[in-house]
Amino acid sequence: MPSHHLPLLLAAYQYKFGRDIEAMCRHLIDDVAVGWDELGTDLLDDAPPALVTALTGGEHWPSRTLDHLVTPDGSPPVRMSVTDQTADDQDMQWGYVLHKEGVEVISLLHEDIGPIVSWSIDPRTAFNDHPAAWSSLDSPPAIRASLSTPTPSAPAAAPAKASPSRPTARR
């Protein structure tokens, strides 16, 4: 759900990966053999402690990959590719696509594309989890902007805007 994944992805981009989208893509996409079971608080490495506490309530859990899968025929599992068919088969409801300008959030129950949330958005921003709110024609549905004052090293919150242009290549 966006209220869970977006704060982790925004903070990871801003702090752990130092605003380096290529490093983030390598870590989250290229260097994973099959896929992710869960994204954890290790994505918040190098984030200010107050931000980590605001996002997690002080809890810590590791990211976990899908490396414990067993295939019916015993062959090694292969990388998961998401298509319209596999998204339906796996009962997927949300998709997240990393772009240079931000993360595209796709409500797979409603559309094939979604609005792009700028990487500069404060990770403490609260987002709506209702799938119908994530229309590609509208700005990302922030419930409320962060009420906290960002630390001097934290990026300032910017209004969420959908990007008019979409790169054709996706990872």
Side-chain angles (χ1 to χ4, degrees), residues 2-3 6 93-94 105-111 113-117 126-143 160 162:
S3 64
L6 276 175
Q93 297 179 4
W94 296 97
V105 180
I106 305 168
S107 168
L108 297 172
L109 299 175
H110 292 278
E111 298 192 34
I113 60 174
I116 294 180
V117 177
F127 290 96
N128 187 329
D129 283 334
H130 193 281
W134 290 87
S135 169
S136 62
L137 302 175
D138 298 325
S139 295
I143 294 173

PDB file of all heavy atoms in Angstrom, residues 2-3 6 93-94 105-111 113-117 126-143 160 162:
ATOM      1  N   PRO A   2       0.423   2.278  -0.675  1.00  0.00           N
ATOM      2  CA  PRO A   2       1.248   3.491  -0.757  1.00  0.00           C
ATOM      3  C   PRO A   2       1.637   4.070   0.602  1.00  0.00           C
ATOM      4  O   PRO A   2       2.761   4.551   0.754  1.00  0.00           O
ATOM      5  CB  PRO A   2       0.352   4.465  -1.534  1.00  0.00           C
ATOM      6  CG  PRO A   2      -0.530   3.594  -2.350  1.00  0.00           C
ATOM      7  CD  PRO A   2      -0.781   2.378  -1.498  1.00  0.00           C
ATOM      8  N   SER A   3       0.766   4.016   1.584  1.00  0.00           N
ATOM      9  CA  SER A   3       1.108   4.606   2.885  1.00  0.00           C
ATOM     10  C   SER A   3       2.258   3.861   3.562  1.00  0.00           C
ATOM     11  O   SER A   3       2.926   4.424   4.429  1.00  0.00           O
ATOM     12  CB  SER A   3      -0.113   4.645   3.809  1.00  0.00           C
ATOM     13  OG  SER A   3      -0.553   3.322   4.106  1.00  0.00           O
ATOM     14  N   LEU A   6       5.609   3.986   0.008  1.00  0.00           N
ATOM     15  CA  LEU A   6       6.134   5.295  -0.417  1.00  0.00           C
ATOM     16  C   LEU A   6       7.087   5.922   0.598  1.00  0.00           C
ATOM     17  O   LEU A   6       8.162   6.385   0.207  1.00  0.00           O
ATOM     18  CB  LEU A   6       5.001   6.255  -0.742  1.00  0.00           C
ATOM     19  CG  LEU A   6       4.445   6.134  -2.151  1.00  0.00           C
ATOM     20  CD1 LEU A   6       3.230   7.043  -2.327  1.00  0.00           C
ATOM     21  CD2 LEU A   6       5.495   6.468  -3.182  1.00  0.00           C
ATOM     22  N   GLN A  93      -2.099  -5.734  -6.176  1.00  0.00           N
ATOM     23  CA  GLN A  93      -2.969  -4.570  -6.180  1.00  0.00           C
ATOM     24  C   GLN A  93      -2.230  -3.270  -6.471  1.00  0.00           C
ATOM     25  O   GLN A  93      -2.845  -2.299  -6.894  1.00  0.00           O
ATOM     26  CB  GLN A  93      -3.692  -4.471  -4.841  1.00  0.00           C
ATOM     27  CG  GLN A  93      -4.595  -5.662  -4.613  1.00  0.00           C
ATOM     28  CD  GLN A  93      -5.307  -5.597  -3.288  1.00  0.00           C
ATOM     29  OE1 GLN A  93      -5.200  -4.631  -2.545  1.00  0.00           O
ATOM     30  NE2 GLN A  93      -6.042  -6.642  -2.980  1.00  0.00           N
ATOM     31  N   TRP A  94      -0.917  -3.244  -6.230  1.00  0.00           N
ATOM     32  CA  TRP A  94      -0.140  -2.017  -6.402  1.00  0.00           C
ATOM     33  C   TRP A  94       1.139  -2.301  -7.166  1.00  0.00           C
ATOM     34  O   TRP A  94       1.741  -3.359  -7.008  1.00  0.00           O
ATOM     35  CB  TRP A  94       0.237  -1.420  -5.037  1.00  0.00           C
ATOM     36  CG  TRP A  94      -0.952  -1.000  -4.255  1.00  0.00           C
ATOM     37  CD1 TRP A  94      -1.581  -1.719  -3.268  1.00  0.00           C
ATOM     38  CD2 TRP A  94      -1.683   0.216  -4.381  1.00  0.00           C
ATOM     39  NE1 TRP A  94      -2.649  -1.011  -2.789  1.00  0.00           N
ATOM     40  CE2 TRP A  94      -2.742   0.181  -3.447  1.00  0.00           C
ATOM     41  CE3 TRP A  94      -1.547   1.326  -5.197  1.00  0.00           C
ATOM     42  CZ2 TRP A  94      -3.649   1.217  -3.313  1.00  0.00           C
ATOM     43  CZ3 TRP A  94      -2.452   2.367  -5.060  1.00  0.00           C
ATOM     44  CH2 TRP A  94      -3.489   2.308  -4.130  1.00  0.00           C
ATOM     45  N   VAL A 105       3.144   5.358  -8.922  1.00  0.00           N
ATOM     46  CA  VAL A 105       2.325   4.459  -8.108  1.00  0.00           C
ATOM     47  C   VAL A 105       1.124   4.049  -8.954  1.00  0.00           C
ATOM     48  O   VAL A 105       0.341   4.894  -9.384  1.00  0.00           O
ATOM     49  CB  VAL A 105       1.863   5.140  -6.806  1.00  0.00           C
ATOM     50  CG1 VAL A 105       1.008   4.194  -5.975  1.00  0.00           C
ATOM     51  CG2 VAL A 105       3.068   5.624  -6.008  1.00  0.00           C
ATOM     52  N   ILE A 106       1.011   2.744  -9.184  1.00  0.00           N
ATOM     53  CA  ILE A 106      -0.042   2.238 -10.048  1.00  0.00           C
ATOM     54  C   ILE A 106      -1.019   1.403  -9.224  1.00  0.00           C
ATOM     55  O   ILE A 106      -0.634   0.417  -8.597  1.00  0.00           O
ATOM     56  CB  ILE A 106       0.542   1.375 -11.184  1.00  0.00           C
ATOM     57  CG1 ILE A 106       1.592   2.165 -11.961  1.00  0.00           C
ATOM     58  CG2 ILE A 106      -0.567   0.875 -12.104  1.00  0.00           C
ATOM     59  CD1 ILE A 106       2.421   1.324 -12.907  1.00  0.00           C
ATOM     60  N   SER A 107      -2.265   1.809  -9.231  1.00  0.00           N
ATOM     61  CA  SER A 107      -3.335   1.015  -8.644  1.00  0.00           C
ATOM     62  C   SER A 107      -3.746   0.002  -9.696  1.00  0.00           C
ATOM     63  O   SER A 107      -4.490   0.320 -10.622  1.00  0.00           O
ATOM     64  CB  SER A 107      -4.522   1.902  -8.261  1.00  0.00           C
ATOM     65  OG  SER A 107      -5.634   1.086  -7.957  1.00  0.00           O
ATOM     66  N   LEU A 108      -3.240  -1.207  -9.593  1.00  0.00           N
ATOM     67  CA  LEU A 108      -3.461  -2.213 -10.627  1.00  0.00           C
ATOM     68  C   LEU A 108      -4.920  -2.629 -10.732  1.00  0.00           C
ATOM     69  O   LEU A 108      -5.325  -3.237 -11.714  1.00  0.00           O
ATOM     70  CB  LEU A 108      -2.565  -3.426 -10.371  1.00  0.00           C
ATOM     71  CG  LEU A 108      -1.065  -3.130 -10.435  1.00  0.00           C
ATOM     72  CD1 LEU A 108      -0.252  -4.323  -9.973  1.00  0.00           C
ATOM     73  CD2 LEU A 108      -0.650  -2.711 -11.828  1.00  0.00           C
ATOM     74  N   LEU A 109      -5.715  -2.282  -9.740  1.00  0.00           N
ATOM     75  CA  LEU A 109      -7.140  -2.582  -9.800  1.00  0.00           C
ATOM     76  C   LEU A 109      -7.883  -1.617 -10.711  1.00  0.00           C
ATOM     77  O   LEU A 109      -9.003  -1.889 -11.127  1.00  0.00           O
ATOM     78  CB  LEU A 109      -7.757  -2.516  -8.398  1.00  0.00           C
ATOM     79  CG  LEU A 109      -7.195  -3.508  -7.379  1.00  0.00           C
ATOM     80  CD1 LEU A 109      -7.796  -3.258  -6.013  1.00  0.00           C
ATOM     81  CD2 LEU A 109      -7.448  -4.940  -7.827  1.00  0.00           C
ATOM     82  N   HIS A 110      -7.248  -0.459 -11.009  1.00  0.00           N
ATOM     83  CA  HIS A 110      -7.939   0.579 -11.756  1.00  0.00           C
ATOM     84  C   HIS A 110      -7.265   1.006 -13.054  1.00  0.00           C
ATOM     85  O   HIS A 110      -7.956   1.387 -14.000  1.00  0.00           O
ATOM     86  CB  HIS A 110      -8.145   1.820 -10.868  1.00  0.00           C
ATOM     87  CG  HIS A 110      -9.114   1.571  -9.772  1.00  0.00           C
ATOM     88  ND1 HIS A 110     -10.464   1.636  -9.940  1.00  0.00           N
ATOM     89  CD2 HIS A 110      -8.925   1.217  -8.483  1.00  0.00           C
ATOM     90  CE1 HIS A 110     -11.069   1.339  -8.814  1.00  0.00           C
ATOM     91  NE2 HIS A 110     -10.158   1.080  -7.915  1.00  0.00           N
ATOM     92  N   GLU A 111      -5.939   1.004 -13.108  1.00  0.00           N
ATOM     93  CA  GLU A 111      -5.256   1.550 -14.276  1.00  0.00           C
ATOM     94  C   GLU A 111      -3.945   0.815 -14.533  1.00  0.00           C
ATOM     95  O   GLU A 111      -3.451   0.089 -13.677  1.00  0.00           O
ATOM     96  CB  GLU A 111      -4.949   3.046 -14.062  1.00  0.00           C
ATOM     97  CG  GLU A 111      -6.189   3.897 -13.895  1.00  0.00           C
ATOM     98  CD  GLU A 111      -5.883   5.385 -13.972  1.00  0.00           C
ATOM     99  OE1 GLU A 111      -4.987   5.771 -14.731  1.00  0.00           O
ATOM    100  OE2 GLU A 111      -6.553   6.129 -13.264  1.00  0.00           O
ATOM    101  N   ILE A 113      -1.281   2.727 -15.562  1.00  0.00           N
ATOM    102  CA  ILE A 113      -0.282   3.742 -15.243  1.00  0.00           C
ATOM    103  C   ILE A 113      -0.796   4.516 -14.041  1.00  0.00           C
ATOM    104  O   ILE A 113      -1.971   4.422 -13.673  1.00  0.00           O
ATOM    105  CB  ILE A 113      -0.004   4.704 -16.431  1.00  0.00           C
ATOM    106  CG1 ILE A 113      -1.274   5.449 -16.843  1.00  0.00           C
ATOM    107  CG2 ILE A 113       0.589   3.949 -17.600  1.00  0.00           C
ATOM    108  CD1 ILE A 113      -1.040   6.521 -17.898  1.00  0.00           C
ATOM    109  N   GLY A 114       0.078   5.267 -13.413  1.00  0.00           N
ATOM    110  CA  GLY A 114      -0.343   6.043 -12.252  1.00  0.00           C
ATOM    111  C   GLY A 114       0.395   7.355 -12.168  1.00  0.00           C
ATOM    112  O   GLY A 114       1.302   7.625 -12.961  1.00  0.00           O
ATOM    113  N   PRO A 115       0.038   8.169 -11.195  1.00  0.00           N
ATOM    114  CA  PRO A 115       0.736   9.440 -11.004  1.00  0.00           C
ATOM    115  C   PRO A 115       2.143   9.197 -10.467  1.00  0.00           C
ATOM    116  O   PRO A 115       2.421   8.158  -9.871  1.00  0.00           O
ATOM    117  CB  PRO A 115      -0.134  10.169  -9.975  1.00  0.00           C
ATOM    118  CG  PRO A 115      -0.827   9.076  -9.230  1.00  0.00           C
ATOM    119  CD  PRO A 115      -1.026   7.963 -10.220  1.00  0.00           C
ATOM    120  N   ILE A 116       3.000  10.159 -10.682  1.00  0.00           N
ATOM    121  CA  ILE A 116       4.372  10.068 -10.192  1.00  0.00           C
ATOM    122  C   ILE A 116       4.523  10.959  -8.969  1.00  0.00           C
ATOM    123  O   ILE A 116       4.188  12.139  -8.999  1.00  0.00           O
ATOM    124  CB  ILE A 116       5.385  10.454 -11.285  1.00  0.00           C
ATOM    125  CG1 ILE A 116       5.322   9.420 -12.416  1.00  0.00           C
ATOM    126  CG2 ILE A 116       6.802  10.549 -10.714  1.00  0.00           C
ATOM    127  CD1 ILE A 116       6.268   9.666 -13.555  1.00  0.00           C
ATOM    128  N   VAL A 117       5.026  10.355  -7.898  1.00  0.00           N
ATOM    129  CA  VAL A 117       5.298  11.077  -6.659  1.00  0.00           C
ATOM    130  C   VAL A 117       6.757  11.531  -6.721  1.00  0.00           C
ATOM    131  O   VAL A 117       7.668  10.709  -6.841  1.00  0.00           O
ATOM    132  CB  VAL A 117       5.064  10.175  -5.425  1.00  0.00           C
ATOM    133  CG1 VAL A 117       5.417  10.914  -4.144  1.00  0.00           C
ATOM    134  CG2 VAL A 117       3.625   9.673  -5.398  1.00  0.00           C
ATOM    135  N   ALA A 126       1.493  11.771   4.471  1.00  0.00           N
ATOM    136  CA  ALA A 126       0.523  10.676   4.537  1.00  0.00           C
ATOM    137  C   ALA A 126      -0.198  10.562   3.197  1.00  0.00           C
ATOM    138  O   ALA A 126      -0.655  11.561   2.646  1.00  0.00           O
ATOM    139  CB  ALA A 126      -0.478  10.938   5.654  1.00  0.00           C
ATOM    140  N   PHE A 127      -0.271   9.350   2.660  1.00  0.00           N
ATOM    141  CA  PHE A 127      -0.918   9.110   1.377  1.00  0.00           C
ATOM    142  C   PHE A 127      -2.159   8.247   1.544  1.00  0.00           C
ATOM    143  O   PHE A 127      -2.228   7.392   2.418  1.00  0.00           O
ATOM    144  CB  PHE A 127       0.052   8.423   0.408  1.00  0.00           C
ATOM    145  CG  PHE A 127       1.155   9.311  -0.052  1.00  0.00           C
ATOM    146  CD1 PHE A 127       2.393   9.282   0.567  1.00  0.00           C
ATOM    147  CD2 PHE A 127       0.965  10.208  -1.094  1.00  0.00           C
ATOM    148  CE1 PHE A 127       3.418  10.113   0.152  1.00  0.00           C
ATOM    149  CE2 PHE A 127       1.984  11.047  -1.516  1.00  0.00           C
ATOM    150  CZ  PHE A 127       3.214  10.998  -0.892  1.00  0.00           C
ATOM    151  N   ASN A 128      -3.115   8.479   0.662  1.00  0.00           N
ATOM    152  CA  ASN A 128      -4.362   7.734   0.627  1.00  0.00           C
ATOM    153  C   ASN A 128      -4.096   6.328   0.087  1.00  0.00           C
ATOM    154  O   ASN A 128      -3.403   6.168  -0.909  1.00  0.00           O
ATOM    155  CB  ASN A 128      -5.339   8.488  -0.288  1.00  0.00           C
ATOM    156  CG  ASN A 128      -6.731   7.929  -0.282  1.00  0.00           C
ATOM    157  OD1 ASN A 128      -6.941   6.747  -0.101  1.00  0.00           O
ATOM    158  ND2 ASN A 128      -7.696   8.805  -0.488  1.00  0.00           N
ATOM    159  N   ASP A 129      -4.663   5.316   0.710  1.00  0.00           N
ATOM    160  CA  ASP A 129      -4.486   3.935   0.259  1.00  0.00           C
ATOM    161  C   ASP A 129      -5.656   3.434  -0.581  1.00  0.00           C
ATOM    162  O   ASP A 129      -5.663   2.276  -0.988  1.00  0.00           O
ATOM    163  CB  ASP A 129      -4.309   2.998   1.457  1.00  0.00           C
ATOM    164  CG  ASP A 129      -2.925   3.085   2.054  1.00  0.00           C
ATOM    165  OD1 ASP A 129      -1.980   3.452   1.341  1.00  0.00           O
ATOM    166  OD2 ASP A 129      -2.783   2.766   3.254  1.00  0.00           O
ATOM    167  N   HIS A 130      -6.637   4.264  -0.854  1.00  0.00           N
ATOM    168  CA  HIS A 130      -7.772   3.799  -1.652  1.00  0.00           C
ATOM    169  C   HIS A 130      -7.346   3.734  -3.116  1.00  0.00           C
ATOM    170  O   HIS A 130      -6.912   4.738  -3.693  1.00  0.00           O
ATOM    171  CB  HIS A 130      -8.972   4.733  -1.480  1.00  0.00           C
ATOM    172  CG  HIS A 130     -10.223   4.128  -2.018  1.00  0.00           C
ATOM    173  ND1 HIS A 130     -10.511   4.114  -3.364  1.00  0.00           N
ATOM    174  CD2 HIS A 130     -11.232   3.483  -1.391  1.00  0.00           C
ATOM    175  CE1 HIS A 130     -11.652   3.497  -3.552  1.00  0.00           C
ATOM    176  NE2 HIS A 130     -12.120   3.098  -2.369  1.00  0.00           N
ATOM    177  N   PRO A 131      -7.462   2.561  -3.741  1.00  0.00           N
ATOM    178  CA  PRO A 131      -6.982   2.407  -5.119  1.00  0.00           C
ATOM    179  C   PRO A 131      -7.563   3.410  -6.111  1.00  0.00           C
ATOM    180  O   PRO A 131      -6.855   3.871  -7.010  1.00  0.00           O
ATOM    181  CB  PRO A 131      -7.401   0.975  -5.478  1.00  0.00           C
ATOM    182  CG  PRO A 131      -7.466   0.266  -4.165  1.00  0.00           C
ATOM    183  CD  PRO A 131      -7.958   1.301  -3.181  1.00  0.00           C
ATOM    184  N   ALA A 132      -8.820   3.765  -5.965  1.00  0.00           N
ATOM    185  CA  ALA A 132      -9.444   4.688  -6.918  1.00  0.00           C
ATOM    186  C   ALA A 132      -8.865   6.094  -6.829  1.00  0.00           C
ATOM    187  O   ALA A 132      -9.003   6.886  -7.766  1.00  0.00           O
ATOM    188  CB  ALA A 132     -10.957   4.738  -6.692  1.00  0.00           C
ATOM    189  N   ALA A 133      -8.187   6.419  -5.729  1.00  0.00           N
ATOM    190  CA  ALA A 133      -7.601   7.752  -5.564  1.00  0.00           C
ATOM    191  C   ALA A 133      -6.347   7.944  -6.419  1.00  0.00           C
ATOM    192  O   ALA A 133      -5.926   9.069  -6.639  1.00  0.00           O
ATOM    193  CB  ALA A 133      -7.270   7.995  -4.092  1.00  0.00           C
ATOM    194  N   TRP A 134      -5.763   6.851  -6.909  1.00  0.00           N
ATOM    195  CA  TRP A 134      -4.501   6.919  -7.634  1.00  0.00           C
ATOM    196  C   TRP A 134      -4.723   6.917  -9.142  1.00  0.00           C
ATOM    197  O   TRP A 134      -4.283   6.033  -9.857  1.00  0.00           O
ATOM    198  CB  TRP A 134      -3.585   5.778  -7.197  1.00  0.00           C
ATOM    199  CG  TRP A 134      -3.108   5.993  -5.811  1.00  0.00           C
ATOM    200  CD1 TRP A 134      -3.736   5.605  -4.658  1.00  0.00           C
ATOM    201  CD2 TRP A 134      -1.951   6.702  -5.411  1.00  0.00           C
ATOM    202  NE1 TRP A 134      -3.018   6.026  -3.575  1.00  0.00           N
ATOM    203  CE2 TRP A 134      -1.921   6.695  -4.000  1.00  0.00           C
ATOM    204  CE3 TRP A 134      -0.937   7.348  -6.111  1.00  0.00           C
ATOM    205  CZ2 TRP A 134      -0.901   7.315  -3.289  1.00  0.00           C
ATOM    206  CZ3 TRP A 134       0.077   7.951  -5.393  1.00  0.00           C
ATOM    207  CH2 TRP A 134       0.084   7.930  -3.993  1.00  0.00           C
ATOM    208  N   SER A 135      -5.383   7.931  -9.633  1.00  0.00           N
ATOM    209  CA  SER A 135      -5.631   8.077 -11.059  1.00  0.00           C
ATOM    210  C   SER A 135      -4.426   8.702 -11.745  1.00  0.00           C
ATOM    211  O   SER A 135      -3.812   9.627 -11.218  1.00  0.00           O
ATOM    212  CB  SER A 135      -6.865   8.957 -11.297  1.00  0.00           C
ATOM    213  OG  SER A 135      -6.965   9.297 -12.664  1.00  0.00           O
ATOM    214  N   SER A 136      -4.128   8.219 -12.934  1.00  0.00           N
ATOM    215  CA  SER A 136      -3.016   8.791 -13.708  1.00  0.00           C
ATOM    216  C   SER A 136      -3.328  10.213 -14.153  1.00  0.00           C
ATOM    217  O   SER A 136      -2.433  10.941 -14.567  1.00  0.00           O
ATOM    218  CB  SER A 136      -2.709   7.915 -14.911  1.00  0.00           C
ATOM    219  OG  SER A 136      -3.836   7.854 -15.767  1.00  0.00           O
ATOM    220  N   LEU A 137      -4.582  10.620 -14.068  1.00  0.00           N
ATOM    221  CA  LEU A 137      -4.976  11.963 -14.499  1.00  0.00           C
ATOM    222  C   LEU A 137      -4.870  13.003 -13.385  1.00  0.00           C
ATOM    223  O   LEU A 137      -5.013  14.194 -13.640  1.00  0.00           O
ATOM    224  CB  LEU A 137      -6.420  11.929 -15.020  1.00  0.00           C
ATOM    225  CG  LEU A 137      -6.679  10.961 -16.175  1.00  0.00           C
ATOM    226  CD1 LEU A 137      -8.152  10.928 -16.519  1.00  0.00           C
ATOM    227  CD2 LEU A 137      -5.825  11.320 -17.378  1.00  0.00           C
ATOM    228  N   ASP A 138      -4.653  12.549 -12.160  1.00  0.00           N
ATOM    229  CA  ASP A 138      -4.627  13.448 -11.013  1.00  0.00           C
ATOM    230  C   ASP A 138      -3.260  13.462 -10.342  1.00  0.00           C
ATOM    231  O   ASP A 138      -2.425  12.597 -10.580  1.00  0.00           O
ATOM    232  CB  ASP A 138      -5.672  13.010  -9.974  1.00  0.00           C
ATOM    233  CG  ASP A 138      -7.089  13.058 -10.524  1.00  0.00           C
ATOM    234  OD1 ASP A 138      -7.386  13.959 -11.326  1.00  0.00           O
ATOM    235  OD2 ASP A 138      -7.887  12.180 -10.141  1.00  0.00           O
ATOM    236  N   SER A 139      -3.069  14.432  -9.462  1.00  0.00           N
ATOM    237  CA  SER A 139      -1.868  14.465  -8.629  1.00  0.00           C
ATOM    238  C   SER A 139      -1.943  13.337  -7.609  1.00  0.00           C
ATOM    239  O   SER A 139      -3.040  12.888  -7.260  1.00  0.00           O
ATOM    240  CB  SER A 139      -1.781  15.800  -7.890  1.00  0.00           C
ATOM    241  OG  SER A 139      -1.603  16.851  -8.801  1.00  0.00           O
ATOM    242  N   PRO A 140      -0.809  12.869  -7.110  1.00  0.00           N
ATOM    243  CA  PRO A 140      -0.828  11.835  -6.076  1.00  0.00           C
ATOM    244  C   PRO A 140      -1.672  12.286  -4.882  1.00  0.00           C
ATOM    245  O   PRO A 140      -1.590  13.443  -4.472  1.00  0.00           O
ATOM    246  CB  PRO A 140       0.642  11.679  -5.686  1.00  0.00           C
ATOM    247  CG  PRO A 140       1.383  12.141  -6.892  1.00  0.00           C
ATOM    248  CD  PRO A 140       0.547  13.244  -7.479  1.00  0.00           C
ATOM    249  N   PRO A 141      -2.493  11.397  -4.341  1.00  0.00           N
ATOM    250  CA  PRO A 141      -3.418  11.777  -3.276  1.00  0.00           C
ATOM    251  C   PRO A 141      -2.792  11.800  -1.884  1.00  0.00           C
ATOM    252  O   PRO A 141      -2.893  10.847  -1.123  1.00  0.00           O
ATOM    253  CB  PRO A 141      -4.508  10.710  -3.374  1.00  0.00           C
ATOM    254  CG  PRO A 141      -3.788   9.509  -3.875  1.00  0.00           C
ATOM    255  CD  PRO A 141      -2.716  10.037  -4.802  1.00  0.00           C
ATOM    256  N   ALA A 142      -2.150  12.900  -1.566  1.00  0.00           N
ATOM    257  CA  ALA A 142      -1.617  13.070  -0.219  1.00  0.00           C
ATOM    258  C   ALA A 142      -2.790  13.415   0.695  1.00  0.00           C
ATOM    259  O   ALA A 142      -3.593  14.288   0.388  1.00  0.00           O
ATOM    260  CB  ALA A 142      -0.577  14.173  -0.174  1.00  0.00           C
ATOM    261  N   ILE A 143      -2.901  12.709   1.809  1.00  0.00           N
ATOM    262  CA  ILE A 143      -3.949  13.011   2.780  1.00  0.00           C
ATOM    263  C   ILE A 143      -3.588  14.296   3.506  1.00  0.00           C
ATOM    264  O   ILE A 143      -4.394  15.170   3.703  1.00  0.00           O
ATOM    265  CB  ILE A 143      -4.120  11.847   3.779  1.00  0.00           C
ATOM    266  CG1 ILE A 143      -4.652  10.625   3.042  1.00  0.00           C
ATOM    267  CG2 ILE A 143      -5.055  12.241   4.907  1.00  0.00           C
ATOM    268  CD1 ILE A 143      -4.705   9.379   3.887  1.00  0.00           C
ATOM    269  N   ALA A 160       2.978  17.477  -4.508  1.00  0.00           N
ATOM    270  CA  ALA A 160       2.975  16.286  -5.341  1.00  0.00           C
ATOM    271  C   ALA A 160       2.330  16.616  -6.678  1.00  0.00           C
ATOM    272  O   ALA A 160       1.253  17.171  -6.721  1.00  0.00           O
ATOM    273  CB  ALA A 160       2.193  15.174  -4.645  1.00  0.00           C
ATOM    274  N   ALA A 162       1.773  15.138 -10.824  1.00  0.00           N
ATOM    275  CA  ALA A 162       1.941  14.074 -11.810  1.00  0.00           C
ATOM    276  C   ALA A 162       2.834  14.605 -12.929  1.00  0.00           C
ATOM    277  O   ALA A 162       2.771  15.768 -13.285  1.00  0.00           O
ATOM    278  CB  ALA A 162       0.588  13.662 -12.380  1.00  0.00           C
TER     279      ALA A 162
END
